[in-house]
Amino acid sequence: MAYYVPLGIRGVLFRVGTILIGILGGIVYFLAARRRRRSVVPPSMAFSLPD
Amino acid sequence: MKILVAAVQMASDVLDVPSNLQRADDLLRSSHKQGVELAVLPEMFNTGYSLCPDFGPVSETAEGPTITHLRRRSRQWKMGIAAGFVERDGRHLYDSVAYVDAEGNVGIYRKRNLVFWERYRFQPGRAPLVVSTPWGRLGFAICADMIYRKVWEGYRERIDLAVVSAAWPNFACRDSGRRHWLLGHVGPLSSSIPERVASDLGIPVVFANQCGETRTIVPLLRTRIEDRFAGLSSICDGRHGEPVRADDEPRLLIAPITLHRSKGPKSWPITSPSAFAGSCSASAPS
C-alpha cells in the first residue's frame, strides 16, 4: 500500500515489517479472541462527574 | 461557514478509565465554555495506549460507560465529540473512534491500519466512516491510518473536514533524545501529515494526539523504546492561514476552521458496518 508521504528505504522495511507483524499478530489475536466470551459484560467503573 | 473546534492533547494513564475520563471531562468542559462546537480527543483516551495483556476488561460497546458519558455531555453542551476507545463487538476488539453528536447519535470508526503490537490485540476495521453534520461531512482516521495514501484518496471530495485521533509516539529515547534508527523519522510526521492533507484535500484537519511518556514496542524487531507521545496536535484550516499547533505538553488547542459544504458529491452515506449504535448521524444534515 502506498504511503501518503515518501518514506524512502525505511518505508520498504516498514512495509515488510507491517506485513509480517500482521500475519503473526493475526494468529495471536485469533487465538486470544477465540478464548474471549462472546457476551459483553460492561466494565464496572466507579466515577461520578459533576453536571 | 466557520466553527470553533478543539484538539484535546492529553496524557492518559494506562487502564485507569475513571481518571482519564475525569481529565477529559475537565477539558471538554473548558472547551464548551469557550464556545467549541466540535472537540476531538486522542486515540484510546480512556484506556491509555500501551501494550497490555488484554484490553478485554476495559473494552466497551457504544452502550458502555465512556460513550454513554460522552453522549450525555454532547447533548448537554450541544457539542460534537470524537473520542478514541477500545470497542468490543462480540469476541472482537477494535481500536475505534466514536463520534457523538448533540442529538446523542453515535457513529463508530474502526482503525484500518494497525501497526506494531496493535495487530496482536485488535481486529482491523474494514471501512471508512463519513458522518453528515450541520457543518458538513466529517471523515475519520486513527493515528497510523494517516500515513497511507489510500485512506486520503478514499476521502477526497467526499468529506468537508477530517478528524484524526492519535497516540503517535516520537520514537526517541526520552533520556538521551536519540531517535530510533528505523522509526525515528516517523515521529515528526505527526505534525507534517495533517498539514499536508489540509493543503492537498483543501479541507480542515483536526488532529488530536496523546502526550506524555510511553513505551513503544515493535514485536519483530524486539524493539522497546522508552519514549514519549509526540504531542504536536494541530488544527489546520484547509488552505486558509497557518496551522495552529501544540507542543508536546498537555494542551487544549482551540481554533476556528472554515467549512465549504458545497465541495464534492452531495451525499456519501456512512459506509462503516460498525457505524451505528442506535440511530446515527448519517441522517441528512439539518
Side-chain angles (χ1 to χ4, degrees):
Chain A
M1 202 186 302
Y3 295 113
Y4 189 68
V5 290
L7 296 180
I9 189 69
R10 292 186 180 95
V12 178
L13 293 173
F14 190 68
R15 180 171 294 125
V16 171
T18 302
I19 291 168
L20 292 175
I21 287 173
I23 294 167
L24 285 177
I27 294 167
V28 172
Y29 173 81
F30 174 76
L31 295 173
R34 217 171 48 167
R35 286 194 299 269
R36 201 171 289 127
R37 294 172 63 172
R38 188 179 290 274
S39 58
V40 180
V41 180
S44 55
M45 287 169 217
F47 65 87
S48 64
L49 300 170
D51 277 341
Chain B
M1 177 184 212
K2 275 195 183 290
I3 64 166
L4 205 56
V5 299
V8 179
Q9 180 167 297
M10 60 179 274
S12 295
D13 299 325
V14 176
L15 302 182
D16 188 354
V17 177
S19 163
N20 296 329
L21 213 46
Q22 171 75 65
R23 200 171 300 149
D25 198 61
D26 291 343
L27 293 162
L28 288 174
R29 183 183 302 276
S30 177
S31 305
H32 164 65
K33 285 180 178 167
Q34 295 178 66
V36 165
E37 291 177 81
L38 169 67
V40 181
L41 292 160
E43 176 182 15
M44 293 169 65
F45 87 95
N46 64 337
T47 60
Y49 176 95
S50 183
L51 176 58
C52 298
D54 185 16
F55 280 100
V58 291
S59 60
E60 302 179 28
T61 65
E63 284 77 39
T66 300
I67 306 305
T68 300
H69 175 72
L70 293 179
R71 289 172 88 166
R72 183 162 73 95
R73 288 302 191 219
S74 186
R75 275 194 297 252
Q76 181 184 1
W77 292 337
K78 303 289 173 212
M79 179 199 283
I81 302 171
F85 74 115
V86 178
E87 185 198 359
R88 177 81 175 262
D89 185 1
R91 287 194 171 114
H92 290 294
L93 301 183
Y94 297 89
D95 182 350
S96 299
V97 159
Y99 174 73
V100 296
D101 69 14
E103 276 73 51
N105 301 314
V106 184
I108 294 176
Y109 170 75
R110 294 169 173 169
K111 186 174 184 177
R112 289 175 277 169
N113 299 283
L114 300 173
V115 292
F116 310 141
W117 57 266
E118 293 168 0
R119 185 62 186 100
Y120 287 69
R121 295 291 178 264
F122 302 118
Q123 178 87 332
R126 301 267 176 227
L129 173 68
V130 176
V131 174
S132 293
T133 72
W135 322 299
R137 299 155 301 174
L138 311 189
F140 296 82
I142 302 177
C143 203
D145 276 334
M146 70 177 182
I147 66 173
Y148 293 98
R149 182 182 296 276
K150 189 178 169 187
V151 169
W152 298 117
E153 290 306 324
Y155 282 136
R156 189 183 290 278
E157 301 294 331
R158 294 187 168 102
I159 60 174
D160 306 305
L161 167 64
V163 170
V164 184
S165 183
W168 190 295
N170 64 7
F171 303 104
C173 173
R174 55 178 179 257
D175 294 329
S176 65
R178 195 169 144 192
R179 286 182 178 189
H180 186 262
W181 65 274
L182 176 62
L183 302 167
H185 74 297
V186 175
L189 294 180
S190 65
S191 164
S192 59
I193 293 180
E195 189 173 349
R196 184 169 169 155
V197 170
S199 166
D200 181 20
L201 271 61
I203 57 171
V205 178
V206 185
F207 170 70
N209 198 12
Q210 285 210 25
C211 60
E213 295 184 353
T214 184
R215 177 181 300 146
T216 299
I217 294 172
V218 186
L220 277 182
L221 295 175
R222 294 176 176 273
T223 293
R224 184 178 158 134
I225 313 170
E226 302 290 334
D227 56 354
R228 297 175 62 84
F229 289 111
L232 303 174
S233 296
S234 59
I235 297 171
C236 305
D237 193 8
R239 296 181 179 130
H240 304 267
E242 289 296 308
V244 178
R245 188 166 291 125
D247 51 15
D248 63 354
E249 295 298 319
R251 294 274 181 259
L252 178 59
L253 201 63
I254 295 179
I257 55 167
T258 315
L259 285 135
H260 300 283
R261 287 194 54 196
S262 58
K263 281 188 176 171
K266 282 188 178 171
S267 66
W268 200 57
I270 291 247
T271 53
S272 168
S274 62
F276 285 89
S279 58
C280 187
S281 41
S283 54
S286 54

